[in-house]
Amino acid sequence: MSEAALSGALPHRRRLGEALGGWLLSLPAALSFLLLLLLPTLAAVAMAFTDFELGLWPPAWIGLENFEEMWADRGFRQSFRNTVVYVGLVAPASVLLGLGLALLIEAGARGRAFFRAVFFLPVVSLTVAMAAAWQYLLHPTIGPLNAALRVLGVASPPAWLSSSDWVLLSLASIGVWEQAGFNMVLFMAGLTAIPRELREAASVDGVHSAFARFRLVTWPLLGPTTLFVVTITLIRSVRVFDTVAVLTRGGPNKASEVLLYTMYTEGFTFLRLGYSAAITLVFLVIVLALMLVQTRLLDRRVHYG
Amino acid sequence: MRPPDSGLHVEEAAVTLGGNPILRGVSLSVAPGEFVALLGPSGCGKTTLMRVVAGLQPPASGRVTINGRDVTRAHPAERDVAMVFQNYALYPHLTVRQNIAVPLAMRRLNGWQRAPLLGGLFSRAARAEIARDVAAIAEPLGLAHLLDRKPAQLSGGQRQRVALARAVVRRPAVFLLDEPLSNLDAALRVSTRREIVEIHRRAGAASVYVTHDQAEALTMADRIAVMQAGEILQLGTPEAIYRDPADLRVATFIGSPRINLLPAAVGEDGVLLLDGAALPLTSPARGAVTLGVRPEDWRIAPAGLPARVAHVEFLGDHELIHLEAGGAEIVMRAEPELRVARGEALHLAFDPARALLFGADGRRLPMAQREAAHV
Amino acid sequence: MADRWRLPLLALLGLAMLAPYIWMVSASLKATDELFRASLSLLPETGTAWMENYGRVWREVPVAQYLLNGVIVCGGILAFQLLFAVPAGYALAKLRFPGREWVFGAVMLGLLVPPHVPALPLYVAFSQLGWLNSYAALIIPSTISVFAIFLFRQFFKSLPDELIQAARLDGMGEGAIVWRVALPNAWPAATAFAIFSVVAHWNDLFWPLIVLTGTDYATPALGVLHFRTEEAGDDFAALMAACTIMTAPLVLAFLFAQRRFVEGIATTGLKG
């Protein structure tokens, strides 16, 4: 073989080998992505426009009928409203609590690891088991919370999880308890990324109070972290399912129906898969909208690079 | 003489971190308008001393006074100090204009007036004055056209000037600079030296400049404090530090290439003996000593210390000749015209008036020239 | 802020945070009739009640079976996730091949879809295949993690190209490079992802609830739920004992490797 041919062939063969390697290495992931994520997701979207029920074959295209039914369904509207209220309670509270805890822990040297572990504990605890513990804690007659309230002079404390007035608030409190530690850890990561020199420069520049320093340095530099934490908290709150499934099953009288639990009962209890898929689609649109808002805001606020 | 109640005074400041002494009772006085460099290797405590002055590091003991006021326990904001940080520490989310205005706004506006949106309504006059002061400091530093940029859009040299502007804009009593040139490239570093001295002169503050680069300290400072292991070894003018070092550590730390050290002895008659040969120098000390001669103080002579050329480095405006003399290595600085060959044997002499004598413990020893004698 | 305010405040908040754990353990030590008197004392009146509670859980709840199921499911999921995601992440980061942009685009798109969305069609498919009530039903849907692909791609991108080229010159094929060069250098990302994945699937209730009917393959989450609804009834003492037992393994693992857990969740959290 001539030298010219050799030098021409080698890079070509190398490129081919690299492409082949690339394909072979991504193949398992690509196949499982296709079978387990892409196709089922598309199928779920398609199902939302059919009257698919398990055992009834073939399903028929019914266009927007599922969505019309949803719109007219008081149960769904209740479920949607409950989800909004739940998210509206949990997201701000757990973000603020997470930020407060992170600032409080970072403000001093002593007890950092200990308190970080304490507040993070709910993240690694079995949600179902902790929900049961909350059920005991909030039990109307034997629960320690109401026992304490009675000692404090409250004659008839509420039945937290079985009163339609209180159930959402109780679930939201559990939600805050679950998520605050997670948010705290994210905020702590954001805080350590702020150079210590900046806070020192602020001190030398005449910033005396901790609050003024927070306003000048910490809060603006925490901006991207905060945006991210807010988005992820919103999404995690929209996904609320475990506590409802364990504690209330949507009750009493649908007072704690939430989106994913409605989707679950419609789909897997009543086996109305088409309708359930339509609810899933609503859920997906909400999640995508939240992510879109986050990306937009992030793009607009690149203040340093 | 300056009045005793002006400028910066540090008395016996000590700092211990994690059981390790970082500062061992350091004292330092800087007069208004004076520029003092803290020079030493990394870990010598120079930055810690500066942080004690700024109030960022509380001392375990000792006292800091600024213009007669004891500020040892005062918050950095209450000390009337300004500081340029090594990485500049510019607020990345604020424009250059806002960065420079921060120290003014923090002092001249109260919390309500600084509030976003509404704050402007209550402080129009004060804000106009701040804008005037920012413009006045930005102009001479060549920042006027950059005022609306964010720090990320600036070059290293421009960021450095913004940091300087932010520090001097409110005319502080004490001006602290923590290795401000270490993040610039070599050419910019040299040209910025003069700029910093100019700014210091205009501000008239008591300036403290931390550096590990002796060229910076020697060229910029009125006085240099050489630090090592948490202590100030010597405090003096650049010339005194170079020509009249207090001990062996200062002598070897200052000067590049390093000072040549030769083992010598002082005889019973007080005459200095090098390699057994009597030198025209006397000392009240006795026994083994170390003789220090800087590279530029050697010359080639018809008679004297016999040496052999080991290696020649040509550096354009001068050359460095490495020689071997009785087991010791000697570096001599010479004119580039001097032509010597490797392996050549010759004799060396030095300027006795500039030689330095150190005892076995490293302390500087007195030395005098014998009359009417030659090497 | 002075520790004088900080520490008491943190202690107070911490106590509130720990309240469910404290009362859970306390209740698991008490006799049932004591629980029904709703006393506010944390310590049990009788020292032996706990044996009855934990004994009942031990007799009636296949604790070991649930925990084993949890380990099998989480381990299986993690193994497949790594097996699929590590080579794909490497290919996306370091190899040029036609279609790479499409694969990466698919990954980014996949990041947007919560796992609840494909659940319905997957359930239909598994029930048609007769695969419900099996380890396979629990493991297979989670074997692909686009998040893992993304995470490993980001990490491999920061590996120097020289390292890969040196390995090629040493005669390694791309497959060998993935497992013997790239992965050992991506250990921080791998542990972070492993913690993230195990915590997520150990606690997951949604999918097991859909595909399992009995308790044979139940994970700890489903096991607790089953005991609570079917057997415990009003016996809160035994229920709390079961909860304590089931919560313990992951919490203990967390307490032993606290920093790794927190950092793992923080890094994966910030990127996902």
Side-chain angles (χ1 to χ4, degrees), chain A residues 102-179:
Chain A
L103 288 171
L104 207 54
I105 289 182
E106 288 285 333
R110 279 207 290 169
R112 266 186 200 214
F114 176 75
F115 283 111
R116 195 179 60 175
V118 166
F119 297 121
F120 194 71
L121 213 50
V123 179
V124 294
S125 300
L126 195 62
T127 320
V128 179
M130 291 325 292
W134 274 101
Q135 188 190 20
Y136 163 64
L137 201 64
L138 300 179
H139 194 280
T141 49
I142 68 168
L145 179 63
N146 279 3
L149 285 176
R150 279 191 289 267
V151 168
L152 290 174
V154 182
S156 52
W160 301 103
L161 289 167
S162 43
S163 134
S164 50
D165 294 333
W166 289 97
V167 65
L168 263 187
L169 193 71
S170 306
L171 287 173
S173 309
I174 301 175
V176 172
W177 175 83
E178 271 185 311
Q179 291 199 26

Side-chain angles (χ1 to χ4, degrees), chain B residues 166-349:
Chain B
R166 183 179 68 178
V168 293
V169 68
R170 64 184 166 85
R171 311 201 157 276
V174 174
F175 183 27
L176 306 173
L177 302 104
D178 186 6
E179 308 232 12
L181 303 182
S182 59
N183 286 334
L184 300 181
D185 60 56
L188 204 52
R189 209 177 296 167
V190 172
S191 66
T192 311
R193 280 184 202 162
R194 224 185 57 203
E195 205 164 350
I196 289 180
V197 175
E198 284 293 317
I199 291 168
H200 153 76
R201 288 216 184 103
R202 270 202 302 269
S207 298
V208 179
Y209 184 100
V210 163
T211 180
H212 65 271
D213 181 341
Q214 50 172 301
E216 281 174 21
L218 291 168
T219 51
M220 298 167 77
D222 297 321
R223 286 191 300 156
I224 297 175
V226 181
M227 292 189 69
Q228 219 172 71
E231 284 175 308
I232 293 185
L233 301 180
Q234 187 175 3
L235 175 64
T237 63
E239 204 186 350
I241 296 279
Y242 188 76
R243 282 290 162 220
D244 193 15
D247 66 13
L248 197 57
R249 290 174 293 175
V250 177
T252 49
F253 186 69
I254 305 287
S256 173
R258 224 174 68 130
I259 191 169
N260 295 293
L261 299 175
L262 303 166
V266 183
E268 282 312 309
D269 52 357
V271 173
L272 197 63
L273 301 165
L274 182 63
D275 241 7
L279 294 175
L281 292 163
T282 62
S283 171
R286 294 290 180 270
V289 292
T290 302
L291 182 70
V293 181
R294 295 211 181 267
E296 67 272 21
D297 295 333
W298 292 105
R299 60 193 155 78
I300 294 171
L305 189 64
R308 185 174 295 276
V309 178
H311 174 61
V312 181
E313 285 177 83
F314 178 72
L315 289 155
D317 62 333
H318 67 277
E319 62 187 26
L320 295 176
I321 305 174
H322 297 251
L323 305 114
E324 212 189 314
E329 201 205 333
I330 289 176
V331 180
M332 166 184 168
R333 185 191 160 113
E335 297 299 315
E337 294 80 37
L338 187 70
R339 291 266 175 263
V340 290
R342 203 155 65 88
E344 190 178 332
L346 37 74
H347 292 273
L348 290 180

Side-chain angles (χ1 to χ4, degrees), chain A residues 30-113:
Chain A
L31 272 181
S32 50
F33 173 81
L34 217 62
L35 286 175
L36 298 170
L37 200 59
L38 188 62
L39 287 179
T41 302
L42 294 178
V45 173
M47 268 163 74
F49 301 93
T50 68
D51 64 353
F52 191 27
E53 289 186 28
L54 212 57
L56 282 182
W57 194 263
W61 283 99
I62 54 167
L64 293 173
E65 244 173 68
N66 281 329
F67 296 93
E68 281 159 18
E69 183 188 342
M70 211 188 284
W71 185 248
D73 181 357
R74 296 203 25 205
F76 173 78
R77 297 219 320 240
Q78 171 90 24
S79 161
F80 190 86
R81 203 162 44 235
N82 286 343
T83 310
V84 171
V85 171
Y86 178 87
V87 172
L89 289 170
V90 171
S94 66
V95 169
L96 285 178
L97 187 57
L99 177 62
L101 290 174
L103 288 171
L104 207 54
I105 289 182
E106 288 285 333
R110 279 207 290 169
R112 266 186 200 214

Side-chain angles (χ1 to χ4, degrees), chain C residues 217-237:
Chain C
Y217 298 97
T219 55
L222 207 57
V224 170
L225 185 64
H226 184 260
F227 181 65
R228 195 194 74 106
T229 44
E230 308 292 324
E231 285 159 28
D234 272 344
D235 190 351
F236 270 95

Side-chain angles (χ1 to χ4, degrees), chain B residues 6-285:
Chain B
S6 69
L8 163 73
H9 298 271
V10 181
E11 293 161 43
E12 294 296 322
V15 170
T16 307
L17 290 179
N20 301 319
I22 306 295
L23 283 184
R24 307 163 188 261
V26 169
S27 298
L28 177 73
S29 290
V30 184
E34 193 184 18
F35 194 104
V36 170
L38 300 182
L39 175 65
S42 60
C44 71
K46 55 190 190 300
T47 296
T48 306
L49 177 55
M50 168 168 287
R51 293 169 60 83
V52 167
V53 173
L56 298 171
Q57 171 69 55
S61 63
R63 211 158 76 106
V64 180
T65 56
I66 291 173
N67 284 347
R69 199 163 58 93
D70 185 338
V71 295
T72 314
R73 300 282 155 214
H75 188 272
E78 307 165 333
R79 294 188 173 213
D80 204 6
V81 299
M83 183 160 172
V84 175
F85 289 81
Q86 187 169 3
N87 299 315
Y88 317 138
L90 300 177
Y91 307 112
H93 56 294
L94 301 182
T95 61
V96 169
R97 189 193 305 280
Q98 290 165 325
N99 260 289
I100 301 175
V102 165
L104 299 178
M106 286 300 156
R107 280 178 174 74
R108 296 183 193 166
L109 304 179
N110 61 35
W112 292 113
Q113 290 173 324
R114 290 200 310 270
L117 303 177
L118 286 180
L121 298 176
F122 306 112
S123 53
R124 196 160 292 163
R127 279 171 184 251
E129 199 184 320
I130 289 174
R132 250 198 324 279
D133 288 355
V134 170
I137 198 84
E139 183 63 44
L141 281 166
L143 294 171
H145 63 293
L146 303 172
L147 283 175
D148 291 314
R149 296 216 191 147
K150 299 257 171 91
Q153 300 164 291
L154 302 178
S155 71
Q158 289 168 337
R159 277 181 223 179
Q160 149 70 243
R161 289 208 295 280
V162 176
L164 287 168
R166 183 179 68 178
V168 293
V169 68
R170 64 184 166 85
R171 311 201 157 276
V174 174
F175 183 27
L176 306 173
L177 302 104
D178 186 6
E179 308 232 12
L181 303 182
S182 59
N183 286 334
L184 300 181
D185 60 56
L188 204 52
R189 209 177 296 167
V190 172
S191 66
T192 311
R193 280 184 202 162
R194 224 185 57 203
E195 205 164 350
I196 289 180
V197 175
E198 284 293 317
I199 291 168
H200 153 76
R201 288 216 184 103
R202 270 202 302 269
S207 298
V208 179
Y209 184 100
V210 163
T211 180
H212 65 271
D213 181 341
Q214 50 172 301
E216 281 174 21
L218 291 168
T219 51
M220 298 167 77
D222 297 321
R223 286 191 300 156
I224 297 175
V226 181
M227 292 189 69
Q228 219 172 71
E231 284 175 308
I232 293 185
L233 301 180
Q234 187 175 3
L235 175 64
T237 63
E239 204 186 350
I241 296 279
Y242 188 76
R243 282 290 162 220
D244 193 15
D247 66 13
L248 197 57
R249 290 174 293 175
V250 177
T252 49
F253 186 69
I254 305 287
S256 173
R258 224 174 68 130
I259 191 169
N260 295 293
L261 299 175
L262 303 166
V266 183
E268 282 312 309
D269 52 357
V271 173
L272 197 63
L273 301 165
L274 182 63
D275 241 7
L279 294 175
L281 292 163
T282 62
S283 171

Side-chain angles (χ1 to χ4, degrees), chain A residues 97-117 119 181 183-196 199 210 213-214 218 222 225, chain C residues 1-3 5-7 9-10 13 258-259 262-263 266:
Chain A
L97 187 57
L99 177 62
L101 290 174
L103 288 171
L104 207 54
I105 289 182
E106 288 285 333
R110 279 207 290 169
R112 266 186 200 214
F114 176 75
F115 283 111
R116 195 179 60 175
F119 297 121
N183 291 344
M184 171 199 74
V185 164
L186 297 183
F187 274 122
M188 282 174 82
L191 282 174
T192 41
I194 299 176
R196 192 183 61 162
R199 268 170 265 180
R213 195 174 57 212
F214 177 76
T218 314
L222 217 46
T225 310
Chain C
M1 194 189 299
D3 276 0
W5 290 103
R6 176 179 166 266
L7 288 177
L9 197 56
L10 278 173
L13 288 165
Q258 214 212 98
R259 271 189 56 159
V262 172
E263 279 163 13

